[in-house]
Amino acid sequence: MSAATTNPVNQVRSTIYQLLSSLFAKEVDHKTLHELTCTQAQEFWSQLANEPDFKADVDVLVAELAKLNSDKALLELAADYCGLFLVGTKHSASPYASLYLNKSSSDKAATKGNEPLLFGQQHQQMTQFLKQSQLQVQSEFPEPADHLAVILAYVAHISMHSSHQEQLLFIRDYLANWLPKLVAKVAKVDTGKFYIALAQLTLAWVESDIEWLASES
Amino acid sequence: MRWLLNIWRTLNKPTQYLTLGSVSVSAFIMGIIFWGGFNTALQATNTEEFCISCHSMESMPYKELQETVHWSNHSGVRATCPDCHVPHDWSRKIGRKIEASHDMWGWLLQTVNTPEKFEDKRLEMASREWKRFDRDNSLACKNCHNYDSMKWDSMSKLAQKQMKRAAKLDQSCVDCHKGIAHKLPDMGTARAPELIAEVGSGVNGLEVDQTYFSALTKPVYFNEKTDVEAGTLNIATKVKVLALKGNRAKIGISGWRKKIGAGRVIYYDFGLNILSAQLTKDAALEEGVISTFEEKEDPMTGLKWQRVETVIWTDTDYLLNDLQPLWDYARSTYSTSCSVCHTQPDESHFDANTWPGMFQGMIAFVNMDQDTQALVQKYLQEHSSTFNKSAH
Amino acid sequence: MKRRDFLKGLVGTSYVVLSGSSVLAPLNALAASAAKTNEGWLTTGSHFGAFKMKRKNGVIDQVIPFERDKYPTDMINGVKGLVYNPSRVRYPMVRLDFLLKGHKSDTTQRGDFRFVRVTWDKALSLFKDSLDEVQTKYGPSGLHAGQTGWRATGQLHSSTSHMQRAVGMHGNFVKKVGDYSTGAGQTILPYILGSTEVYAQGTSWPLILEHSKTIILWSNDPYKNLQVGWNAETHESYAYLAQLKEKVAKGEIRVISIDPVVTKTQQYLGCEQLYVNPQTDVALMLGIAHEMVAKNLHYTQFIEGYSLGFDKFLPYLQGETDGVEKTPEWAAEITGVSAEIIRDLAKVMTKGRTQMLMGWCIQRQQHGEQPYWMAAVLATMTGQIGLPGGGISYGHHYSSIGVPSSGAAAPGAFPRNLDEDQKPLFDNNDFKGTSSTIPVARWIDAILEPGKTIDSNGSKVTFPDIKMMVFSGNNPWNHHQDRNRMKQAFQKLECVVTIDMNWTATCRFSDIVLPACTTFERNDIDVYGSYANRGVLAMQKMVEPLFDSLSDFEIFTRFARLMGKEKEYTRGMTERDWLNKLYTDCKNANAGKFEMPEFDEFWKEGYVHFGEGKPWTRHAAFREDPEINPLGTPSGLIEIYSRKIAQYQYDDCPGHPTWMEKSERSHGGPGSDKFPVWMQSCHPDKRLHSQMCESEEFRGTYTVKDREPVYLNPEDAKARGINAGDVVRVFNGRGQLLAGAVVSDNFPKGVIRIHEGAWYGPVGEDGSKEGGAEIGALCSYGDPNTLTQDIGTSKLAQACSAYTCLVEFEKYKGKVPAVSSFSGPVEITL
C-alpha cells in the first residue's frame, strides 16, 4: 500500500479521478473555467487526447470549454447540469448509484413499499468506506455518499492509499457496475454536448483504468 | 410600660377568648420585641431570611421565584420577598406585617404544609396579594419599573401599544403581569381571564343615565336582591343604567325581537341576528320587563319583528365605558385563532346574518372560551358587510 | 504498458486540477459520534397517522405506528419514500429564461424543466425583487399569494402561515375564499342549516351505534377516507366502524350505500348498495320526498316548528310551478332506481331512526349545492334532526369527526397574519376596483379574463389582473381542473414562485423553486386524533434537512431579514422558543381541566394524552330550544326555502332545492353521445390528495404498468378490447391521459374511476421531454384533472365541479412513454 502512495502514476490517476469528481460535483463557474482552460490545463487535455479512446470526448470538452466565453453560455451549461443532475425527473440522469442498482418499483409490488431510493444501502456502504479511510462527505456538499462525485473522489483517494488489487475491486463493484447506465442516460437526455462528452470520457477512463489495474495486480 | 403589662395579660388569657386579629397583632409585636428593639427589628424582619424562617416557603414560592427573571438576570438586580410583598411606606409596612402574622396561624394549623394543600390555597393567597397590589397600584413593582423610564422603541409594536395604554392610565402592573414571580394559580373557573386582563373588570362607580357595554355574558335578575336569574345579557351589548342599588344596576336594553316562541331573545336591530340578551320564559312574560313598540316583517325570512325595550337588573361589575377595547381584543383573537387552519376571511366578507353560520362551522380547532366566542362572533357581525359597505 | 503512455506524459507536469474543491473531507470524529447519539425511538405525526421512528447510521430506518393508533394505515410505510425521494427539490432553482430576462421571460417555456441552481441568497433576493416589481407596477391586485393548499402537520411550521406572514410583510395580495373539497357545501349550508357543517364535529359514533336503525351512506366512503386526517391522525373512527360491521351482520342496523359504485366501506361493512346514475342524486331525493308527502310520512310538526319555507317548496315538488311532478316514476327515469325502491326508501327513512351520512363527492359537481340542500330537506322531513342517531351529517368520513372530542384546548400556531400595528413594506391596499378575495376555484378564470365581473354568493366579484403567484406547500397542478386551460393561464403570468419539498407539477411550472424540508426534518407539535383532539404530539426532528432544504420557518426568517424585518417576523424567538410558547399557552389554557407536564417533560415523553370525550348530538341544542339556540340561518330555523338565495335570482341556484340537468351527464344525459363515460375522481385510497404519490416504492404497491390505476367495468373493458393490466388512454375534448387498467365488478357500466392526486406528468407526442409544456400534451401518469371541467358549481358557490366530467377510453396502441411525473429508478431502454 505504501508503495502505491509514492507512485507518480497513481498520483496522476488520482488527479484525473479528482478532476472528474469535481466536474460532476457542481456546475462550471468562472473559476473552474479558468482552471480548465489555462495553459497548464491545455497541456493536460492534449496529453489526455493522446489516448485514442479519449480523444473524441476530450476534443469536444475542450471545444465546449472554449465556447464558454459569456455569462449566458455558462448559465446554459449550468442549466444542462441542473437538468441532468439536480432536478431529478425521468428526463434527468440522477447521479446516485442507488437509482441504477435497485430494482424498479414495479418489481417490488409484493413488498410493503418502504425501501427508500435515496440514502439507502449504497449510501450506507459508501459511508462505511469513507469512514474506514477516515473520510466523510464535505458538509458543503449535502448529497448522499453514493453520488458519482463522491465515489470518484473516493477512488482518487484510494489511488494514493490502497493496493492496486483493492482499487480494482472497489472500482469494479461500486462504480463500473452502474456507470455505463448513467452514461447511457446522460447521452439520451442531455440537450448539450459537454456532459455527454464528460460522461463518456469518464466511462472510457474508468474502463481503461480497470484494464490497467487488472494487468498491474 | 403599662401597655406592655396589658399585653402580657392579654396574652396570658386562653386563646379561645381572643379574636384572630388580636392574637396576630400581639404575636407580631411580641415577635419584634423579642427580636430586640423596634427599628432594628423592622430592618431585620425585612430580609428574605426572616421571611422564609417562618413562612414555610422553601418548597414552593421561594423555589419558583428562583426560576424567574426576578431572581437572576443579566443586570444582577434581585427582587427578594419583601421587595414585592412589603410596602416601602412605613405605616403600610407595619400594616402588612401584621397581616403577615396571620400566616402564623396557617403555620400552626398546618394549612399549607403540603404541596397539595398549598396548591389548593394558591389562588386564594394569590388573589389576596393581587388585591393588595391593586390597592396600591402595584407600587412595589413601580419602585423598580417606572412607566416614565421605559424605552418604548425597544418593545414590539404590540407591547408598545399595550404598555402605553397602561402608562396613560397608570395601570396597576399585575392587571396584566400575573404569574411572573411565582406559578400562576389555576384559574380554571375564572371566566375569559385573558379578555378580562385586557379590558378590565368594569367601571368603578357606575352613573345613572349613562350607557355602558357588557365585558362578559352576564346573568340578569328580576330585581336588586334576588339570585333568581332572569336570563343573560350577551357580551359587548350596550345598556343604559337606570338605577343603582348596592351591587346591582337596573339596566335598559333597546333592541328587536322575532315574534316567534315567547319572544325572549333580544337582538341588536331589526332583521339582524346579533344577540343582545336572552330572557327566561318567566322574565319575558313578567309585567314591566319588556315594553313593545312597532312591528315590521323581515323580507329576508318573512318573519315578523318587533321593537322592544327591556328593563332588568344585573350586577354592577363587568360593565365598560367603551366598546373599543372589546373590539380590539376580538380583532386580535380572530386574526390569531382563525388563521390556524386557513386564511381568515375579511370581516366584511360576509353579512351580519351569514357570520354566525360561517363562524360556528369553523371553530372546531379554535381555543376560545364561551365568552370569547360570543364576543368574536359579535365583532364579526358588527364589522360585517352589513355595516361596512366599502370593502369586498 | 502502451495504453498508459499518456499517463507518463502527465507525470511531472505541475498541473493540479481543482485541488481545493474535493467533495470529501477528513472524518470529523466528534460529529460522527454526535450523530450516533439519540438513536432511540422518536415520535412524530403525519396526516397518514402518528408514528414512531428509529434511525440507523443517521438515516431513518424503522417506522412503526404510534402506540395509541390502533388502526394504523399502511401509508406510513411510504414515509421513508417521501423523505428519501429522488424527486426532492434539492437546491434553490430558477428557470433559466427567467433568470436571464426576469418578468419579460418567455413563459411558453414554463414546464420544460430548464432550471439553474442558485444560492439561497440569490433565490430569495430574486423572489423579493419580483414582489417589488409587481407591487410597484401593479399594486396588490397583481399578486395572488392566497391560493393555498392542504395543511402540513405541525402547528409551528405550517407552510401557508409562514409564506403568508412573510409575503404579507412585504405587501398585500389577492386571497381566496372556500376550498376544493367542500366549496359548494360550505357555501350553501350556512343558508340552510346555519353552519358550514362540513367541518363541524358530528353526532358521536356511540350514539349512532346505539340509536340508529338505518344509516344511509350517501356517496360516502368513510372506510377509505378516514385513513387520513387534518392533524396527526390516530384513526379512532375505525373502532366504531368495526362495531357497525358487527351490527350489520347481526341485522341490528341496516346500512344502505347510495352510490354508483361499490365502495370500500360497503365491502368492509357487508352492507347494501343502492345504485344511482351518476349526478342524479337530487332527482332521487325529490322522488323520495314526493313519496313522503304522498303517503303523509313526513313529520309535519317538526317541519312547522323548526323550518321555514316548506310551503314554497311543495308546489315545485308537486309540479305546480314547473308542470313536472317529482314522482318516484319521474325520478326512476332519471336515476335508474326503480319507483318501488324509491317508495320503500321513503318508508324506511321515516319509520325508524335514520342517520344520513353525506360524502363530499356529490357537491363537487355542477349544481353541487343542490344535493346538500335537498338532503337537509329530507332529513327535516323525517323530523329527526337533533336526535341521537338521526338527522344528517356532512362529515363523518373526515378526520375522526364523530369520535367524541376530549374538550381540551388545542395548541395555537405560528401567526399567519401580521402582528397588530405591523405594516407591510408596500402598504398599499388599492386593488383598483377589483376584488381582493376571489372564490378559490376561479383563479384561472381571473388570470385568463382579468376585469370580468361574476356573481358569487350574493355579491359581485371583479377579477383582479394577476401577474404573479406564490405557492407554498401547495400543488394546484393537482387540485385544479383542466390542465390545458391552466397552461394557457400560466403563460400570462410574469412570475411564479413555489416552495415545496418534492418536484410537484406546480414546481415544474414555476420560475423560482425553493426547497423546503419535509415535516420530518424539523421539530414541531401537533394535535393527535384530529377532531377527537385526543392529545398533543411532539413531532421530533428525525433527520437534519436533506440537501440544501430548509424549514419554512428558516426560509421566511431569511426572507424577512432581506426586508429588514427578521425580528418582526420571528418576534425574536427561535424554533425552540416557539414550540415552548405554543405548548405552554396550551398548557395554561387547559389548566385545571387537563393536566399537562412542563414542556421539557412533554418533549421527552413524546405526547400528552387528554383522555376520552363525552358523546354529543349535533343540533340537539337547537332541537331542545330553537329560540335560545337558533341556527345561524337568517331566520334561525332550517330554511327549506331561502328568500335570501331567491333574491339573488340565480338561474343555477334558485330559492329551493331543484333538479337541474348538467352540462355533461352519462347514462343518457347531455354529451353522452360523444363521450359516454362518467369519470369519478374521488379522494385516493393510498394518498392524501397528491401527498405521498411521489413516494416511489409505496406507489409501486398500487400502480399498473407504472401508471395510476383506472377502474373499469368488465363489459366496458371487453367492448374496447381491454384487459386488466393494459395501458389505457382516457380522453375527451379537454385532454388525454394514460392509466393502467384495473377491471372490476365494483364499477357499473359507463363509470370509470381515477383517483385525484395522481401527479401530472405531461409528455410530447413521442414521449419526449420537449412536449410537456405544450397545450394538449398527454399525461403519462394519469392525472384525472387533465380531463375535468373548469366551471363553477353555480353563481352561488362558484366551487369546483370536477365530478361533472364525461370521457371516452381506449386501449393505448402507441409507444408507451415513460412516466414523467417523478424521478425514480432509471430504466434504460436502448
Side-chain angles (χ1 to χ4, degrees):
Chain A
M1 198 194 283
S2 58
T5 4
T6 51
N7 184 337
V9 173
N10 284 342
Q11 276 182 7
V12 174
R13 288 177 52 238
S14 175
T15 305
I16 292 173
Y17 277 112
Q18 188 59 53
L19 169 68
L20 296 170
S21 164
S22 304
L23 289 174
F24 282 109
K26 66 179 184 65
E27 301 86 341
V28 176
D29 59 14
H30 283 290
K31 184 165 164 279
T32 329
L33 179 64
H34 174 73
E35 287 174 346
L36 291 171
T37 50
C38 65
T39 328
Q40 285 162 318
Q42 282 171 10
E43 190 188 330
F44 169 82
W45 290 123
S46 60
Q47 285 290 343
L48 214 54
N50 280 340
E51 174 65 32
D53 285 355
F54 305 157
K55 187 174 188 324
D57 292 321
V58 170
D59 286 350
V60 173
L61 285 180
V62 171
E64 288 296 309
L65 285 171
K67 285 191 215 157
L68 299 176
N69 48 14
S70 67
D71 283 347
K72 179 157 188 297
L74 274 174
L75 279 175
E76 289 284 356
L77 185 63
D80 287 349
Y81 178 89
C82 188
L84 287 167
F85 305 125
L86 297 181
V87 294
T89 73
K90 270 287 197 279
H91 294 295
S92 37
S94 292
Y96 310 112
S98 60
L99 295 181
Y100 300 85
L101 294 171
N102 284 346
K103 278 187 259 168
S104 77
S105 57
S106 47
D107 296 337
K108 284 208 175 174
T111 72
K112 278 183 159 180
N114 66 1
E115 282 313 307
L117 289 167
L118 297 184
F119 291 90
Q121 198 192 340
Q122 285 77 16
H123 160 78
Q124 298 283 12
Q125 274 169 348
M126 271 310 298
T127 308
Q128 282 308 311
F129 280 124
L130 292 175
K131 214 164 135 194
Q132 281 162 18
S133 305
Q134 292 298 303
L135 290 170
Q136 66 181 29
V137 179
Q138 279 274 14
S139 57
E140 295 88 71
F141 189 71
E143 293 279 346
D146 60 341
H147 188 290
L148 178 61
V150 176
I151 297 178
L152 289 170
Y154 184 66
V155 179
H157 174 83
I158 58 173
S159 302
M160 304 281 284
H161 297 89
S162 303
S163 73
H164 287 156
Q165 179 64 25
E166 284 169 318
Q167 292 177 37
L168 179 63
L169 286 177
F170 179 85
I171 294 171
R172 237 175 17 205
D173 292 353
Y174 299 100
L175 178 58
N177 57 338
W178 65 281
L179 188 61
K181 289 186 187 175
L182 170 73
V183 174
K185 184 77 186 188
V186 173
K188 192 177 168 196
V189 296
D190 189 14
T191 47
K193 294 176 186 163
F194 183 86
Y195 286 103
I196 296 180
L198 178 66
Q200 288 173 349
L201 175 65
T202 306
L203 182 59
W205 159 254
V206 169
E207 280 170 352
S208 98
D209 202 36
I210 287 174
E211 201 178 309
W212 182 77
L213 284 169
S215 70
E216 287 283 300
S217 51
Chain B
M1 293 297 276
R2 196 174 170 78
W3 59 276
L4 186 60
L5 282 172
N6 285 338
I7 291 172
W8 272 116
R9 269 185 219 123
T10 317
L11 284 176
N12 283 330
K13 281 182 189 168
T15 46
Q16 62 262 38
Y17 299 122
L18 295 174
T19 64
L20 187 65
S22 65
V23 170
S24 299
V25 174
S26 319
F28 177 70
I29 294 171
M30 289 317 295
I32 53 176
I33 287 168
F34 286 125
W35 200 267
F38 198 78
N39 267 320
T40 328
L42 209 60
Q43 283 298 318
T45 59
N46 227 19
T47 64
E48 212 161 73
E49 290 83 358
F50 179 79
C51 303
I52 59 172
S53 67
C54 294
H55 294 264
S56 47
M57 292 196 293
E58 297 91 329
S59 56
M60 302 297 290
Y62 190 54
K63 282 205 176 134
E64 286 166 20
L65 172 67
Q66 292 172 7
E67 303 281 303
T68 73
V69 70
H70 280 96
W71 181 266
S72 167
N73 48 60
H74 35 76
S75 59
V77 181
R78 175 174 297 177
T80 57
C81 317
D83 291 328
C84 301
H85 295 286
V86 183
H88 296 227
D89 167 84
W90 194 87
S91 64
R92 289 161 88 175
K93 191 184 288 191
I94 294 297
R96 173 67 190 123
K97 291 198 180 231
I98 290 168
E99 239 176 72
S101 48
H102 278 274
D103 297 357
M104 247 176 74
W105 284 104
W107 177 75
L108 281 171
L109 299 171
Q110 305 193 324
T111 314
V112 292
N113 64 339
T114 67
E116 291 72 29
K117 286 184 185 171
F118 186 86
E119 281 306 325
D120 283 350
K121 281 272 172 193
R122 188 192 278 274
L123 180 60
E124 185 190 319
M125 291 186 290
S127 299
R128 204 191 308 143
E129 280 305 288
W130 292 337
K131 206 172 263 172
R132 197 179 54 73
F133 270 86
D134 250 1
R135 219 163 43 213
D136 60 15
N137 213 2
S138 295
L139 196 65
C141 311
K142 288 174 184 168
N143 280 314
C144 295
H145 305 275
N146 194 327
Y147 281 126
D148 293 336
S149 31
M150 282 179 187
K151 204 169 150 196
W152 305 115
D153 294 345
S154 63
M155 295 182 193
S156 77
K157 286 274 170 52
L158 185 66
Q160 270 188 46
K161 189 180 156 195
Q162 288 170 336
M163 284 309 293
K164 280 181 179 165
R165 183 155 69 200
K168 216 165 100 190
L169 304 166
D170 193 23
Q171 206 177 342
S172 168
C173 309
V174 294
D175 276 6
C176 302
H177 301 277
K178 290 189 178 75
I180 49 163
H182 311 293
K183 220 174 104 191
L184 193 67
D186 167 16
M187 308 208 291
T189 50
R191 287 174 53 193
E194 287 175 39
L195 166 65
I196 294 307
E198 183 79 20
V199 303
S201 53
V203 177
N204 285 325
L206 300 173
E207 288 172 42
V208 173
D209 280 344
Q210 291 298 305
T211 56
Y212 300 93
F213 299 89
S214 47
L216 287 176
T217 295
K218 287 162 58 69
V220 292
Y221 304 97
F222 284 97
N223 56 47
E224 73 275 25
K225 294 188 289 281
T226 179
D227 283 335
V228 181
E229 289 188 15
T232 52
L233 171 68
N234 193 32
I235 195 166
T237 301
K238 185 167 143 185
V239 300
K240 185 174 181 183
V241 171
L242 305 172
L244 289 162
K245 266 189 194 160
N247 283 335
R248 288 275 167 85
K250 186 181 189 181
I251 54 168
I253 312 161
S254 308
W256 288 73
R257 66 176 183 182
K258 293 174 186 172
K259 285 204 79 183
I260 49 172
R264 58 204 162 106
V265 182
I266 314 298
Y267 294 99
Y268 175 83
D269 205 347
F270 167 70
L272 297 179
N273 296 332
I274 305 174
L275 186 63
S276 291
Q278 295 177 330
L279 303 179
T280 59
K281 275 182 189 148
D282 290 346
L285 298 172
E286 172 103 355
E287 186 86 12
V289 171
I290 296 182
S291 322
T292 59
F293 301 91
E294 72 271 20
E295 289 182 11
K296 265 201 279 186
E297 188 187 292
D298 172 24
M300 210 61 96
T301 57
L303 296 178
K304 276 245 160 51
W305 286 64
Q306 183 177 48
R307 189 165 77 78
V308 291
E309 296 282 348
T310 307
V311 176
I312 201 89
W313 290 80
T314 188
D315 290 335
T316 52
D317 56 0
Y318 300 111
L319 290 173
L320 306 174
N321 273 322
D322 186 8
L323 195 51
Q324 198 53 44
L326 284 167
W327 287 165
D328 288 347
Y329 183 79
R331 187 194 317 108
S332 119
T333 305
Y334 175 61
S335 159
T336 314
S337 300
C338 297
S339 59
V340 168
C341 301
H342 54 79
T343 312
Q344 82 286 3
D346 287 340
E347 290 86 340
S348 59
H349 192 82
F350 299 110
D351 66 29
N353 285 359
T354 304
W355 262 121
M358 297 309 298
F359 183 67
Q360 291 303 324
M362 293 289 187
I363 51 172
F365 290 109
V366 175
N367 295 337
M368 285 189 210
D369 52 68
Q370 294 287 324
D371 287 291
T372 308
Q373 265 184 40
L375 173 65
V376 172
Q377 178 170 318
K378 197 167 205 176
Y379 162 77
L380 292 169
Q381 291 185 287
E382 293 198 25
H383 295 78
S384 66
S385 59
T386 307
F387 298 92
N388 177 7
K389 301 284 181 199
S390 61
H392 197 289
Chain C
M1 190 181 171
K2 182 180 161 284
R3 290 177 68 87
R4 287 268 133 167
D5 287 349
F6 73 95
L7 279 182
K8 299 212 174 73
L10 283 170
V11 171
T13 64
S14 57
Y15 184 58
V16 182
V17 188
L18 310 175
S19 50
S21 59
S22 176
V23 296
L24 297 180
L27 184 68
N28 181 341
L30 220 67
S33 70
K36 274 264 168 193
T37 61
N38 200 3
E39 299 273 84
W41 289 102
L42 295 176
T43 307
T44 192
S46 70
H47 302 303
F48 320 105
F51 62 88
K52 297 201 144 183
M53 182 285 303
K54 208 171 187 171
R55 289 179 299 221
K56 197 172 149 192
N57 301 324
V59 175
I60 301 175
D61 183 39
Q62 292 180 66
V63 173
I64 59 164
F66 179 51
E67 58 260 39
R68 289 190 179 272
D69 185 354
K70 303 298 179 207
Y71 296 85
T73 75
D74 57 0
M75 273 180 262
I76 59 170
N77 293 330
V79 164
K80 275 159 73 183
L82 270 186
V83 176
Y84 300 115
N85 196 291
S87 304
R88 282 292 289 255
V89 181
R90 297 177 208 148
Y91 300 89
M93 289 184 198
V94 180
R95 191 167 65 82
L96 177 59
D97 205 53
F98 183 84
L99 189 63
L100 294 170
K101 301 190 195 121
H103 285 230
K104 296 195 166 56
S105 77
D106 175 6
T107 58
T108 63
Q109 291 179 18
R110 249 195 224 113
D112 73 0
F113 263 120
R114 190 115 177 110
F115 287 89
V116 286
R117 163 162 64 180
V118 294
T119 61
W120 270 105
D121 286 348
K122 175 78 179 168
L124 290 174
S125 65
L126 278 173
F127 183 7
K128 184 178 169 289
D129 291 348
S130 276
L131 290 171
D132 287 350
E133 186 167 343
V134 167
Q135 291 287 359
T136 309
K137 256 163 71 181
Y138 308 109
S141 58
L143 175 66
H144 193 356
Q147 189 66 22
T148 52
W150 234 72
R151 180 174 180 267
T153 35
Q155 294 290 77
L156 170 55
H157 287 285
S158 158
S159 41
T160 312
S161 293
H162 283 283
M163 186 273 278
Q164 290 197 330
R165 180 171 168 88
V167 174
M169 284 184 169
H170 182 275
N172 297 309
F173 50 82
V174 176
K175 293 176 179 153
K176 59 126 185 183
V177 63
D179 61 48
Y180 282 80
S181 299
T182 66
Q186 65 175 262
T187 307
I188 187 77
L189 289 174
Y191 291 94
I192 314 309
L193 290 171
S195 146
T196 54
E197 297 290 315
V198 289
Y199 298 131
Q201 179 58 292
T203 301
S204 303
W205 275 112
L207 294 172
I208 295 177
L209 291 166
E210 186 186 340
H211 296 281
S212 297
K213 202 175 150 203
T214 308
I215 294 175
I216 296 187
L217 293 167
W218 207 308
S219 181
N220 193 357
D221 199 353
Y223 196 74
K224 164 167 71 72
N225 293 326
L226 286 165
Q227 294 179 96
V228 292
W230 182 250
N231 303 84
E233 189 51 65
T234 42
H235 304 109
E236 289 185 53
S237 304
Y238 284 87
Y240 299 114
L241 289 177
Q243 292 178 42
L244 181 58
K245 182 183 167 79
E246 274 178 40
K247 285 181 179 280
V248 169
K250 287 188 202 151
E252 291 170 10
I253 297 181
R254 182 178 179 192
V255 180
I256 307 170
S257 168
I258 302 181
D259 204 302
V261 309
V262 177
T263 65
K264 199 176 177 185
T265 309
Q266 186 196 330
Q267 292 171 71
Y268 171 75
L269 294 175
C271 68
E272 298 166 44
Q273 181 199 8
L274 175 57
Y275 166 88
V276 57
N277 282 338
Q279 304 191 80
T280 66
D281 304 83
V282 172
L284 176 57
M285 293 172 187
L286 286 167
I288 297 169
H290 187 278
E291 175 68 7
M292 285 182 185
V293 173
K295 297 280 160 63
N296 205 20
L297 300 168
H298 58 311
Y299 194 162
T300 46
Q301 267 173 305
F302 184 83
I303 294 170
E304 277 161 25
Y306 293 87
S307 77
L308 267 191
F310 188 66
D311 54 334
K312 287 203 160 117
F313 167 68
L314 209 51
Y316 166 76
L317 187 66
Q318 298 185 321
E320 289 159 28
T321 49
D322 62 351
V324 181
E325 204 176 346
K326 313 300 176 302
T327 60
E329 282 73 17
W330 166 83
E333 187 81 5
I334 299 169
T335 61
V337 182
S338 76
E340 193 187 342
I341 290 177
I342 295 173
R343 291 205 161 86
D344 185 54
L345 259 179
K347 209 183 300 164
V348 169
M349 287 176 71
T350 46
K351 281 302 172 231
R353 194 67 60 83
T354 301
Q355 176 74 54
M356 297 169 70
L357 301 177
M358 308 299 294
W360 290 348
C361 288
I362 47 169
Q363 49 88 54
R364 301 184 78 237
Q365 56 172 260
Q366 201 184 11
H367 314 132
E369 297 86 354
Q370 303 306 314
Y372 267 30
W373 192 349
M374 189 55 213
V377 172
L378 276 185
T380 306
M381 291 173 76
T382 67
Q384 298 184 13
I385 288 180
L387 291 179
I392 189 158
S393 156
Y394 298 87
H396 273 76
H397 57 285
Y398 175 65
S399 290
S400 292
I401 281 180
V403 178
S405 299
S406 65
F414 184 81
R416 179 183 300 236
N417 300 305
L418 272 60
D419 293 344
E420 236 179 308
D421 293 351
Q422 287 179 350
K423 291 270 175 264
L425 221 51
F426 287 80
D427 191 11
N428 173 9
N429 228 339
D430 180 10
F431 285 77
K432 299 178 180 166
T434 63
S435 300
S436 57
T437 303
I438 58 177
V440 66
R442 301 275 63 83
W443 61 296
I444 294 294
D445 290 358
I447 297 170
L448 288 171
E449 294 183 87
K452 184 181 172 182
T453 297
I454 61 162
D455 285 306
S456 169
N457 202 14
S459 47
K460 299 279 181 192
V461 165
T462 303
F463 289 142
D465 195 356
I466 299 164
K467 302 291 185 185
M468 177 171 176
M469 302 282 314
V470 183
F471 304 107
S472 182
N474 176 25
N475 187 12
W477 283 81
N478 163 55
H479 61 235
H480 194 74
Q481 285 59 55
D482 198 342
R483 295 285 166 262
N484 289 318
R485 198 155 178 269
M486 288 181 79
K487 283 183 184 171
Q488 282 176 7
F490 266 56
Q491 290 180 5
K492 291 188 72 184
L493 294 171
E494 290 181 10
C495 178
V496 183
V497 180
T498 299
I499 300 107
D500 217 316
M501 58 182 193
N502 288 328
W503 275 98
T504 63
T506 306
C507 293
R508 178 181 179 148
F509 284 90
S510 299
D511 300 311
I512 300 173
V513 180
L514 304 177
C517 65
T518 67
T519 46
F520 314 114
E521 293 154 60
R522 59 203 192 191
N523 291 309
D524 215 322
I525 58 172
D526 203 8
V527 161
Y528 66 87
S530 294
Y531 278 71
N533 191 13
R534 194 60 76 227
V536 181
L537 193 74
M539 292 179 60
Q540 297 161 340
K541 185 197 278 185
M542 309 208 146
V543 285
E544 290 301 317
L546 293 187
F547 301 104
D548 204 12
S549 66
L550 299 172
S551 71
D552 293 274
F553 185 78
E554 177 63 23
I555 293 171
F556 285 105
T557 299
R558 291 187 187 190
F559 181 81
R561 197 178 298 153
L562 273 183
M563 299 189 287
K565 287 169 176 279
E566 178 178 356
K567 212 177 154 201
E568 262 186 64
Y569 185 75
T570 62
R571 294 188 189 162
M573 294 197 284
T574 62
E575 181 190 72
R576 191 73 174 183
D577 295 339
W578 271 104
L579 290 178
N580 201 331
K581 176 193 154 51
L582 295 178
Y583 177 83
T584 307
D585 286 353
C586 174
K587 174 176 155 63
N588 289 338
N590 283 319
K593 286 163 274 184
F594 296 90
E595 278 318 305
M596 294 170 71
E598 294 297 326
F599 177 75
D600 290 339
E601 199 184 318
F602 153 76
W603 194 257
K604 225 173 92 192
E605 192 61 31
Y607 70 96
V608 52
H609 193 68
F610 290 143
E612 305 300 309
K614 284 197 201 83
W616 176 85
T617 302
R618 180 145 196 88
H619 300 130
F622 165 67
R623 188 180 184 99
E624 193 189 322
D625 189 337
E627 201 184 343
I628 292 295
N629 307 306
L631 300 179
T633 56
S635 62
L637 302 168
I638 300 165
E639 299 208 357
I640 291 175
Y641 181 91
S642 166
R643 290 194 186 210
K644 198 167 172 183
I645 291 178
Q647 55 124 30
Y648 299 155
Q649 299 191 324
Y650 294 156
D651 54 352
D652 51 8
C653 190
H656 56 71
T658 306
W659 160 249
M660 284 169 279
E661 189 52 274
K662 315 294 165 213
S663 65
E664 295 179 7
R665 189 169 66 78
S666 60
H667 300 83
S672 59
D673 48 342
K674 198 165 173 208
F675 297 106
V677 179
W678 180 63
M679 180 184 74
Q680 61 168 208
S681 48
C682 55
H683 188 273
D685 188 25
K686 300 282 183 189
R687 296 188 289 264
L688 167 62
H689 298 307
S690 68
Q691 294 188 46
M692 187 64 91
C693 190
E694 71 270 45
S695 186
E696 198 72 28
E697 294 286 308
F698 185 70
R699 190 176 68 250
T701 62
Y702 61 84
T703 49
V704 176
K705 293 261 160 52
D706 291 342
R707 324 276 139 177
E708 182 70 13
V710 55
Y711 297 89
L712 306 171
N713 169 268
E715 281 181 55
D716 284 346
K718 201 176 163 198
R720 291 165 178 81
I722 294 168
N723 293 313
D726 283 348
V727 174
V728 173
R729 186 176 84 101
V730 187
F731 59 96
N732 60 18
R734 291 180 288 270
Q736 51 172 345
L737 61 81
L738 297 183
V742 176
V743 179
S744 162
D745 281 326
N746 293 337
F747 297 85
K749 271 189 72 151
V751 172
I752 68 168
R753 171 188 287 190
I754 304 177
H755 289 133
E756 53 95 2
W759 280 29
Y760 184 52
V763 288
E765 278 297 303
D766 53 352
S768 71
K769 159 184 174 180
E770 284 73 22
E774 282 169 20
I775 287 164
L778 177 71
C779 174
S780 58
Y781 180 67
D783 169 13
N785 280 324
T786 309
L787 305 171
T788 50
Q789 212 181 166
D790 185 13
I791 55 165
T793 50
S794 80
K795 296 184 177 76
L796 191 84
Q798 293 287 6
C800 107
S801 304
Y803 263 54
T804 299
C805 178
L806 294 188
V807 300
E808 178 55 287
F809 60 96
E810 64 185 17
K811 186 168 172 162
Y812 188 61
K813 302 219 176 67
K815 183 172 172 264
V816 178
V819 170
S820 72
S821 316
F822 323 94
S823 178
V826 181
E827 296 136 52
I828 304 295
T829 42
L830 290 172

